[in-house]
């Protein structure tokens, strides 16, 4: 069994490199920190090294300040490398160079598209989050689940399963979550920091974005547009548009919700669908993604981009009905 | 044990009345429907009777159309009455008259304030939702958990625990949720119908409400104001203001979030706090509620109400610091 080999490798490691993907999410940050805590508890040295910043929202996680940003001074000394939540090595960003040249490479992930790029691959697409696999690994390592580890892993589970409401949620997800609560996971802290906290600028941007809402094609397509000027007026950052596409998509009767966002010299389009395969629509414009969530970029003025994309969406909606 | 006596009573009942509170929530609707499904499966006749409408959002729950609104023609025939999620008999509305005069009264609830008004009281304030107790009862009754029952109870758990992120969530909550998923709970349907669906009018109202956002007192107090004219402009209903107070409250640094809503001849104020005891502030104005969530009514113009309430909140925030 691969897991038990990994346990042996980690227990005899001199120093462990722990990696997750760029644009790290709650599963990536929570799972890597949980493994770091666990190894430290066993007296095994390690570092979490990522090629990105830790998003502000996850700064509350125990010892997130210990996460190192690649490149840094310690990279020569690792003898075991663990990648968590990376479907392929490219997802690691530049840290992949460090990861790929280490003598022992471990890959722990739950993405169905995982390319099995490591020497030891623990990939289970039935897991609601990579954290479920890290949980199993920590159990096998004999780690005691303290509140720090439990909070990190609960954060991973809650974010990656949409607070236990995405279809990747299973009875195992719930079983682990229950165990983490028993071991002191601070779910209120997680809720406050991740799900209940916004900046003033983000809230102002929601209001301004909704003021641009348009519902067209018999109520089946809804979109909002965010210009650079709007971001400036709200004092918002580009990342603050995250989640805005939820508003048009959530409207009763809407099949496709769209967000058009003005960037330097192009329009970024986010598609969210209830049933229609929007990855095909995004592909028309050179983009891609998932069936119900995709995106593309258009190099043209906002009004033209809206017209072209809405037309393509309208055709797709009609094809379905 | 009370539970086993209840099992005997239900199994020998001729016809069971099942009741929940007015302004029914996901726990009330989901739990009563789950018990009804379970009894029907065992060939026991019963009715869910409530003194209110079933909120539109819960109409997707299996057989919610069977819920009867009090008063109706069948009220003379019940020999056993089960109240679920009612902390006292007043919470049943007018249906309490029917409930209280029946020969066998059962009370299943998780509110700490429960007054033990029945002949058989199963009250556990450690339960995340009344659904946890109904789950145990159905297990003891020997009911087979089909997807209908499982969906109803998962809906109860998810709504009453804030998608497993309120502090009432326990390992038992997760254990039950996992079992319900194994038995076919349709969590995506619940997510779509309850957490991801809004009317166009509701979304428009969010935008308009945020456009009134004010942050005062060094960023510690934020409020939005909703007038009757704004509701009209958005085609929104009074109930559509539900959740709006979340926006001011969610802002980083805000201690108290407020919603001022114009009603016929008064202003309804909703208080939400992160730490400050807002029930005391609401009480100054003749209102009340919980420590972190309370409300009151003021019979005065909007501007005056805002001034008075914000002043009281500012004093409370200063007292804390």
């Amino acid at each position: 069994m691969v897991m038990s080999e990994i346990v042996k490798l980690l227990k005899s490691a001199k120093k462990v490199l722990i990696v997750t993907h760029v644009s790290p999410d709650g599963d990536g940050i929570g799972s890597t920190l949980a493994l770091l805590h666990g190894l430290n508890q066993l007296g095994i040295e390690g570092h979490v090294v990522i090629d990105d910043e830790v998003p502000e929202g996850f700064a509350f996680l125990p010892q997130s300040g210990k996460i190192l940003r690649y490149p840094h001074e310690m990279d020569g000394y690792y003898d075991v490398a663990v990648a968590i939540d990376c479907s392929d090595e490219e997802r690691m960003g530049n840290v992949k160079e460090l990861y790929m040249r280490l003598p022992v490479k471990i890959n722990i992930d739950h993405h169905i598209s995982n390319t099995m790029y490591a020497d030891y691959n623990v990939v289970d697409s039935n897991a609601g989050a990579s954290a479920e696999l890290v949980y199993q690994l920590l159990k096998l390592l004999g780690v005691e689940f303290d509140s720090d580890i439990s909070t990190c892993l609960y954060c991973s589970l809650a974010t990656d399963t949409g607070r236990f409401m995405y279809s990747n949620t299973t009875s195992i997800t719930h079983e682990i979550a229950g165990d983490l609560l028993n071991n002191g996971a601070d779910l209120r802290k997680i809720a406050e920091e991740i799900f209940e906290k916004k900046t003033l600028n983000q809230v102002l941007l929601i209001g301004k974005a909704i003021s641009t809402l348009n519902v067209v094609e018999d109520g089946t397509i809804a979109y909002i547009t965010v210009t650079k000027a709007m971001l400036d007026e709200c004092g918002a950052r580009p990342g603050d548009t995250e989640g805005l596409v939820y508003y048009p998509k959530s409207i009763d009767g809407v099949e496709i919700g769209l967000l058009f966002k003005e960037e330097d010299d192009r329009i970024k389009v986010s598609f969210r669908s209830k049933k229609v395969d929007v990855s095909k629509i995004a592909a028309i414009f050179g983009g891609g993604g998932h069936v119900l969530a995709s995106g593309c970029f258009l190099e043209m003025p906002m009004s033209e981009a809206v017209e072209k994309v809405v037309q393509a969406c309208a055709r797709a909606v009609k094809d379905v009905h």
Side-chain angles (χ1 to χ4, degrees), chain A:
Chain A
M1 190 215 170
V2 184
M3 248 339 175
S4 55
E5 290 179 63
I6 293 172
V7 167
K8 274 185 217 156
L9 286 164
L10 289 174
K11 284 202 165 173
S12 59
K14 287 198 188 67
K15 196 152 132 202
V16 180
L17 172 74
I18 309 171
V19 169
T20 189
H21 52 84
V22 291
S23 299
D25 58 6
D27 195 15
I29 299 289
S31 292
T32 51
L33 280 175
L35 181 57
L36 182 68
H37 288 312
L39 293 180
N40 287 346
Q41 196 194 98
L42 300 172
I44 303 164
E45 210 184 339
H47 283 153
V48 177
V49 180
I50 60 176
D51 184 21
D52 215 331
E53 282 178 31
V54 175
E56 223 174 276
F58 300 117
F60 79 97
L61 283 175
Q63 299 178 40
S64 71
K66 280 194 180 171
I67 296 179
L68 303 174
R69 185 166 181 175
Y70 187 80
H72 70 104
E73 73 273 27
M74 306 292 288
D75 54 359
Y77 296 86
Y78 306 104
D79 55 338
V80 175
V82 186
I84 303 177
D85 207 41
C86 294
S87 53
D88 60 68
E89 61 269 39
E90 298 302 324
R91 294 283 292 135
M92 302 174 200
N94 289 318
V95 77
K96 92 172 165 178
E97 294 154 17
L98 170 59
Y99 175 92
M100 291 306 282
R101 74 166 181 258
L102 291 181
V104 179
K105 290 176 279 295
I106 296 165
N107 162 24
I108 298 173
D109 187 32
H110 72 127
H111 292 96
I112 200 164
S113 56
N114 192 288
T115 58
M116 305 289 181
Y117 50 82
D119 306 311
Y120 301 86
N121 301 287
V122 176
V123 177
D124 180 359
S125 63
N126 293 314
S130 295
E132 293 185 16
L133 307 170
V134 172
Y135 172 90
Q136 289 167 26
L137 176 59
L138 291 174
K139 284 275 171 192
L140 289 171
L141 278 164
V143 165
E144 193 194 318
F145 279 67
D146 57 21
S147 68
D148 283 357
I149 290 173
S150 301
T151 296
C152 288
L153 292 178
Y154 200 96
C155 171
S156 296
L157 293 183
T159 52
D160 241 35
T161 64
R163 282 175 275 180
F164 308 96
M165 295 306 287
Y166 293 161
S167 51
N168 59 349
T169 314
T170 69
S171 57
I172 293 169
T173 318
H174 277 297
E175 191 187 309
I176 295 173
D179 190 40
L180 296 173
L181 281 188
N182 280 341
N183 289 303
D186 190 348
L187 87 171
R188 281 313 299 155
K189 186 82 180 166
I190 300 166
E192 281 166 16
E193 295 289 336
I194 296 180
F195 300 115
E196 297 168 10
K197 193 153 116 179
K198 290 189 165 62
T199 64
L200 172 58
N201 304 336
Q202 285 170 329
V203 173
L204 292 173
L205 185 63
I206 292 170
K208 206 165 273 289
I210 292 175
S211 75
T212 72
L213 178 68
N214 254 296
V215 185
V216 294
E217 298 292 329
D218 292 332
T220 57
I221 296 167
Y223 64 91
I224 56 184
T225 48
V226 174
T227 61
K228 281 188 282 189
M230 285 166 60
L231 289 176
D232 288 346
E233 280 169 52
C234 298
R237 294 174 305 184
D240 290 341
T241 56
E242 180 77 31
L244 287 181
V245 68
Y246 160 77
Y247 290 96
K249 187 230 165 183
S250 69
I251 297 168
D252 201 12
V254 166
E255 304 261 357
I256 301 176
L258 299 163
L259 168 67
F260 294 89
K261 181 184 170 189
E262 192 183 34
E263 291 192 352
D264 287 336
D265 51 359
R266 58 187 189 172
I267 305 294
K268 182 181 176 184
V269 190
S270 301
F271 300 74
R272 292 293 182 281
S273 162
K274 289 171 185 166
K275 274 188 215 128
V276 181
D277 183 351
V278 284
S279 71
K280 286 185 188 160
I281 308 175
I284 298 171
F285 302 101
H290 304 282
V291 173
L292 302 183
S294 61
C296 67
F297 293 95
L298 280 85
E299 286 181 24
M300 56 184 75
M302 179 68 90
S303 59
E304 206 179 317
V306 168
E307 198 189 326
K308 280 194 175 14
V309 170
V310 168
Q311 274 174 7
C313 289
R315 280 193 298 273
V317 168
K318 280 186 192 108
D319 285 348
V320 168
H321 288 274

